[in-house]
Amino acid sequence: MQLARDPHDPEHPDAVAAYIGGHHVGHIPHNSAKKWHAVIESLEMKGLPAVCQGEVTGGWHRPGNSTGNYGLIIFATDPPHEITDDDPTVVTTNGRVSIDGERYCQDYLTALAGDRTSTQIVVHLDARHRHRITVHHEGRELGWMTAAMSERYSPFLRELERAGLPLTCIATIRFGIVRYEVSLKLPTGSDLVSAIDELRQH
């Protein structure tokens, strides 16, 4: 999800609009919109969009004209700030875990990488299905872990969720031999075991 100032709102000059896939889907509540200005402007100066993790909630259409509107939840720090490798809410490590399925989103990865051969982004790991952990960026699926890797990392992600921490990590987009590839910065080997034990102690 991308956030941007909305100077065209005559009643609320501090308005911040939310976009998914380039479509305007709503606004940050007006009483807290101004908190977002600094981080949006800071990222704009670096030529980067202000993106964050979000979740679409509700919504239905049933027989008998029973309908419900969709809602949108944004996950962010308070006050909002740019997430870096040093941010404690993002899993960071020197470990590298490859994923599958990137071949289906090469156009999207090319747009993210721009003219760079390698770039880093923050991604969300969807662990609802333990045999297929999927990797998402702004709601777009980038790929998935193999069944074996999904089973290995499910306990770690469950502990993160239990601790109230976001299921996010740094991902590296790098051009390989024939196409862009994505790898995740996650603990591996004994570091993974230690990370799970540490989370269970809290």
Side-chain angles (χ1 to χ4, degrees), residues 131 145-153:
H131 298 299
M145 291 186 184
T146 63
M149 294 299 285
S150 294
E151 189 167 359
R152 183 178 304 170
Y153 279 91

Side-chain angles (χ1 to χ4, degrees), residues 162-180:
R162 183 191 60 79
L165 297 173
L167 308 188
T168 53
C169 69
I170 302 295
T172 300
I173 302 170
R174 180 179 288 108
F175 195 81
I177 298 174
V178 296
R179 59 176 176 255
Y180 281 101

